[in-house]
Amino acid sequence: MAEGLPALGWAARDVSGHLSPYSFSRSVPKDDDVTIKVLFCGICHTDLHIIKNDWGNALYPIVPGHEIVGVVTAVGPGVKTFKAGDTVGVGYFLDSCRTCYSCGKGYENYCSTLVLTSNGVDGDGATTQGGFSDVLIVNKDYVLHVPDTLPLPGAAPLLCAGVTVYSPMVQYGLNAPGKHLGVVGLGGLGHVAVKFGKAFGMTVTVISTSERKRQEALDRLGADAFLVSNDPDQMKAAAGTMDGIIDTVSAGHPIVPLLDLLRPMGQMVVVGAPSKPMELPAFAIIGGGKRIAGNGTGSVADCQTMLDFAGKHGITADVEVVKMDYVNTAIERLERNDVRYRFVIDVAGSHLQADAA
């Protein structure tokens, strides 16, 4: 029997979330698989929740990472769309059932048996290990072409943060030139939403709880306006002016004041995931026929379209590149939101070593 491909990564082994060197084996490549040398991998808030078992579903040991950019080193005989040397990406998931309603409609990101890139269970019953490692093996249908025009460190977070905001903007028509978009929160998701909104030709207002990020939003990211949500006068003056809102905040916050900013028939999309339930009085959406939707990442097609759009318009995430041996410090800083706006691990430039075992 053929042996799996040896891999080196960094893994969490318990709820402390502390990462350390870890040796493991990837699966034996199949005819339709693409073997990828990992170059860069973003650090997402989801990684933080998973390694600390915040959601109660940790499958230790866990190699996190689902914002992956790398180079193809080998392809199976059934692969015609990729070749060795291609620059590629892998996002939040790397397989789905392909037969359910969601998969049939082209939004496999909502498949009930979605196989996550990290901390998932694949078709063979093995736990999936993510991109905080040197090599990845993925079915060709879940691999993405990364445009040559994009700097790779800044492209990596697009595989999760980018598609998470891009997909609903397109789906709900929040990509039309001249429309007014509100972006709640200026973090890893929010700053990319601003960039996409401006590239679509929209008027973009950043909504934040304080004045602290005003200059950043207006002068550096190019937002048209900045609104302090804790200022009643500012909120009243902006009421009924927005066609849509992308809410990226993962901490608990009131949403009724945000709904007041929408025009009649306006659309709010929630992409942040606060742990506490929302408080939503019915009158807040009945009056004005306002709508709320959620969004979880995007399909493979959405992600490829997003990458192509980003390549055309030069859109990348703002990142701080670190080596793997800095990853635990980076995670501690991420917990304090002490990053602008995404940590990205230079995996290929890190010295990965076998674990003590």
Side-chain angles (χ1 to χ4, degrees):
M1 180 179 293
E3 294 185 359
L5 199 64
L8 297 174
W10 278 46
R13 292 166 169 81
D14 55 45
V15 295
S16 71
H18 182 81
L19 296 162
S20 58
Y22 178 60
S23 307
F24 62 105
S25 293
R26 293 291 185 189
S27 61
V28 177
K30 301 180 177 66
D31 286 352
D32 289 341
D33 282 346
V34 178
T35 302
I36 302 166
K37 176 184 177 181
V38 178
L39 300 178
F40 296 95
C41 186
I43 305 178
C44 176
H45 266 95
T46 298
D47 296 318
L48 191 155
H49 291 304
I50 289 173
I51 62 176
K52 292 181 177 291
N53 199 27
D54 290 342
W55 297 335
N57 64 345
L59 301 170
Y60 296 111
I62 299 167
V63 177
H66 57 262
E67 297 179 341
I68 303 161
V69 171
V71 61
V72 175
T73 57
V75 298
V79 179
K80 307 302 180 185
T81 52
F82 298 96
K83 65 183 185 303
D86 284 352
T87 303
V88 296
V90 178
Y92 190 62
F93 57 94
L94 44 66
D95 204 357
S96 63
C97 78
R98 307 172 191 241
T99 60
C100 69
Y101 176 84
S102 293
C103 288
K105 289 292 185 180
Y107 35 88
E108 60 277 347
N109 48 311
Y110 296 124
C111 174
S112 62
T113 56
L114 192 70
V115 179
L116 304 181
T117 301
S118 170
N119 198 55
V121 178
D122 67 19
D124 296 325
T127 301
T128 57
Q129 306 291 4
F132 290 19
S133 61
D134 60 351
V135 64
L136 204 64
I137 297 172
V138 184
N139 181 278
K140 63 181 177 59
D141 294 332
Y142 299 84
V143 180
L144 300 145
H145 289 280
V146 176
D148 294 337
T149 54
L150 293 178
L152 299 188
L158 299 181
L159 277 301
C160 178
V163 72
T164 295
V165 296
Y166 177 92
S167 177
M169 290 172 75
V170 173
Q171 181 180 356
Y172 295 106
L174 302 179
N175 61 338
K179 281 193 174 182
H180 189 178
L181 176 71
V183 177
V184 186
L186 196 63
L189 294 169
H191 88 287
V192 178
V194 173
K195 293 185 179 187
F196 280 129
K198 293 305 298 178
F200 286 135
M202 304 182 76
T203 298
V204 178
T205 296
V206 171
I207 305 164
S208 188
T209 55
S210 74
E211 291 277 357
R212 184 168 57 90
K213 295 184 178 180
R214 177 182 291 275
Q215 185 174 0
E216 175 83 2
L218 300 178
D219 296 344
R220 205 174 72 82
L221 294 175
D224 298 282
F226 188 89
L227 185 59
V228 178
S229 58
N230 288 333
D231 186 322
D233 292 335
Q234 288 189 34
M235 294 291 283
K236 183 178 180 180
T241 63
M242 299 180 187
D243 297 290
I245 292 174
I246 300 286
D247 187 348
T248 73
V249 176
S250 58
H253 59 286
I255 64 166
V256 173
L258 300 174
L259 291 167
D260 289 340
L261 299 173
L262 290 172
R263 292 185 172 120
M265 305 297 290
Q267 177 75 55
M268 174 183 281
V269 182
V270 176
V271 295
S275 57
K276 294 183 178 179
M278 290 182 179
E279 294 184 8
L280 178 61
F283 70 81
I285 53 175
I286 291 174
K290 298 172 184 180
R291 297 161 293 183
I292 298 180
N295 185 76
T297 65
S299 67
V300 175
D302 286 341
C303 203
Q304 188 62 66
T305 302
M306 178 273 304
L307 285 171
D308 293 342
F309 183 87
K312 180 179 179 180
H313 293 274
I315 296 172
T316 56
D318 293 1
V319 301
E320 180 177 337
V321 179
V322 300
K323 296 294 178 64
M324 189 70 80
D325 58 9
Y326 188 80
V327 68
N328 289 302
T329 301
I331 286 171
E332 291 173 3
R333 287 178 55 193
L334 181 61
E335 288 185 285
R336 305 192 301 268
N337 292 317
D338 177 23
V339 60
R340 197 180 74 178
Y341 286 96
R342 207 66 150 193
F343 285 113
V344 171
I345 303 169
D346 178 1
V347 178
S350 301
H351 176 63
L352 301 183
Q353 57 188 13
D355 57 34

